Every structure is written in C-alpha cells, then in structure tokens.
Amino acid sequence: MFDLDEMFYRELKYIIYLVAFYVLGWGFTPYKSVFLGLIFGTCLSLFLLWTMVSKNRKLTKAAMEGKKMKSVGTLSRMATAALAVTVALQFPDALHLVSVVIGLMTIYFVIIIDFFIQHLRQK
Amino acid sequence: MTGSLGLIAAAIAVGLAAVGAGIGNGLIVGRTVEGIARQPEARGMLQTTMFIGIALVEALPIIAVVIAFMVIGQ
C-alpha cells in the first residue's frame, strides 16, 4: 500500500479511465465544451500528479544522501492552474470554465479517495 | 476588464494562498526529512504520507489561484 510508485501507477490508471470516459462523452453527447474542458483539465491534472511524484522522489533521494533541494514544485503547479484558467477564458466557446476547474481538481480527489480505499482495505 | 480593486483582490488571494501552501508544505517536508533521517528504513511509508499531505495542502491554494485568475479575466 505505502509504495509511491505503486500508488502513482494506480492513480494514473484511474485518471486514464476517466479521460477515456470523457472522450466518449465528448464524442457521443452534445455537451462538447463541457467534456472538452474536463479532458483539458484532467490532462493538466495528470501533469500535476507527475510533478508531485517526481519532486517527491527527488526530495526523498536528496534527504537520503544528505543533499539540499530548493523546491517541491508548488509554484509550477500553481502556474499550471493559472495557465488552465487563462486558456479556458481565452476560448470560452470551446472550453467550459467550470469543467476545466473540476478537471484540474480531479487528481486531488482521486488521491484522497484512493488513500481512503487503501486504508480501509488494509484494516 | 477588472478595475484596480479586482487586481488587488486577485493579488491578495494568490499571495495568501502561496503563504498557506508554503507554511503547510514546509511543515510537512521538514517533518518527513526529520523522520527519514531518524528512520531510513521507513522511507517508503514517509514518502507516501508526504505525497498525500502535499496533495491535501495544495488543493486549496490551487483553487485560490483559479479564482484569482477568474477575477482578473472577467
């Protein structure tokens, strides 16, 4: 349970399933902008997950070797959120803003829900 | 476009979010590094706990940044 790589691949799998579901929604429903916004936000949230995991690995390695590390990547993740909102505001016809924000937040919900599921399974 | 008050509101939102995220992340990472230094064999568990902690801490500042940019953009 408490292995970061295992957790990362499991969450990656969930997110890819979710994106596949959104693509189906984009293709077969009239709510194109909503699903496109969700796809865009979720793809960016995948980037957030990847930066979090890679910075985490680097930080642990640096702590083990007694080296220093300057940042955990908070600023780049905030900048990603800003980029998502800016793009959504630039193209309001193609991307639904609220969907982009929900998509961006997906990874945090996935991490929390996955943690609780694994915690309950371990008991 | 928003007026100067809107820009100030956005700046305050992003600034306070960054302060919150910085303090929270600092506490989490500091304690994790301490824990790793004390018990290197518990590295995997501490790493995962730090990951979840960082995710929980950063969710709210990111929402603050989103709201700030929405205020600027409208």
Side-chain angles (χ1 to χ4, degrees):
Chain A
M1 173 204 169
F2 289 116
D3 184 39
L4 190 66
D5 288 330
E6 225 174 79
M7 203 171 176
F8 171 60
Y9 288 115
R10 205 171 44 234
E11 282 158 9
L12 191 71
K13 196 173 70 181
Y14 294 153
I15 290 286
I16 289 170
Y17 285 151
L18 214 58
V19 172
F21 175 72
Y22 292 155
V23 169
L24 283 177
W26 176 74
F28 294 106
T29 63
Y31 308 105
K32 300 262 184 219
S33 68
V34 172
F35 280 104
L36 205 60
L38 283 170
I39 292 167
F40 179 62
T42 313
C43 289
L44 283 179
S45 85
L46 257 184
F47 172 72
L48 299 185
L49 174 72
W50 176 73
T51 52
M52 263 193 283
V53 170
S54 68
K55 287 280 180 183
N56 223 319
R57 275 187 205 138
K58 279 181 193 165
L59 186 99
T60 317
K61 202 180 165 199
M64 291 289 284
E65 291 169 358
K67 289 179 184 169
K68 284 183 180 174
M69 204 175 148
K70 282 179 185 169
S71 123
V72 283
T74 308
L75 202 68
S76 68
R77 285 193 282 279
M78 283 174 139
T80 310
L83 174 79
V85 177
T86 312
V87 171
L89 286 172
Q90 282 290 317
F91 306 104
D93 297 333
L95 297 167
H96 191 242
L97 181 61
V98 178
S99 318
V100 172
V101 177
I102 290 170
L104 203 63
M105 287 292 114
T106 306
I107 191 61
Y108 296 105
F109 296 122
V110 168
I111 288 170
I112 293 162
I113 291 167
D114 178 65
F115 172 70
F116 278 115
I117 290 171
Q118 296 303 319
H119 192 72
L120 288 175
R121 259 190 204 164
Q122 211 193 24
K123 271 186 179 177
Chain B
M1 284 301 288
T2 52
S4 55
L5 270 180
L7 285 176
I8 290 170
I12 289 172
V14 174
L16 288 178
V19 167
I23 292 171
N25 276 345
L27 287 173
I28 290 169
V29 172
R31 297 288 152 84
T32 308
V33 170
E34 233 173 62
I36 290 172
R38 204 175 291 159
Q39 274 183 302
E41 68 274 7
R43 184 176 61 104
M45 191 177 164
L46 288 169
Q47 199 180 15
T48 315
T49 313
M50 178 171 73
F51 172 70
I52 293 162
I54 287 177
L56 282 172
V57 164
E58 277 189 3
L60 219 60
I62 284 181
I63 292 173
V65 171
V66 166
I67 290 170
F69 271 78
M70 279 162 74
V71 168
I72 291 173
Q74 280 171 0

